[in-house]
Amino acid sequence: MGLFKKISDLFSSPGAQDDSAYWLYVKCNRCGEVIRTRIDMRNDLSMNYGSSEAGTTYFCRKMLMGEKRCFQRIEVELTFDHRRQLIDRQIHGGDFITAEEYSS
């Protein structure tokens, strides 16, 4: 077991911040299950071209489903500006929660 742990430590750094990730935390409206999901900012976004660079936005749609109590789908739609900063978010079937609410 110690050998596998050492190999794993080589490829990951605890506490390292992943700049290419945007974490979402949602709560199901039907059963109350909390769900965490990762948006890969390099691969999960679709580009909406504008007339200029500043007019370009990115869009991401995720369908989430819990695994414990119910299997209701939660649809999340995110819009990012040209610098990939969140500018709008919509959710159907659930509510957005904070990372602190997810942890408790």
Side-chain angles (χ1 to χ4, degrees), residues 1 12 20 22 25 31 37 44 55 64 70 85 98 100 103-104:
M1 271 306 211
S12 65
S20 68
Y22 181 83
Y25 304 92
C31 69
T37 190
D44 290 341
L64 306 173
C70 74
Q85 301 296 314
T98 64
E100 292 79 25
S103 299
S104 60

Side-chain angles (χ1 to χ4, degrees), residues 42-56:
R42 287 182 258 158
N43 296 310
D44 290 341
L45 303 182
S46 298
M47 186 179 282
N48 293 327
Y49 293 99
S51 58
S52 66
E53 181 183 347
T56 300

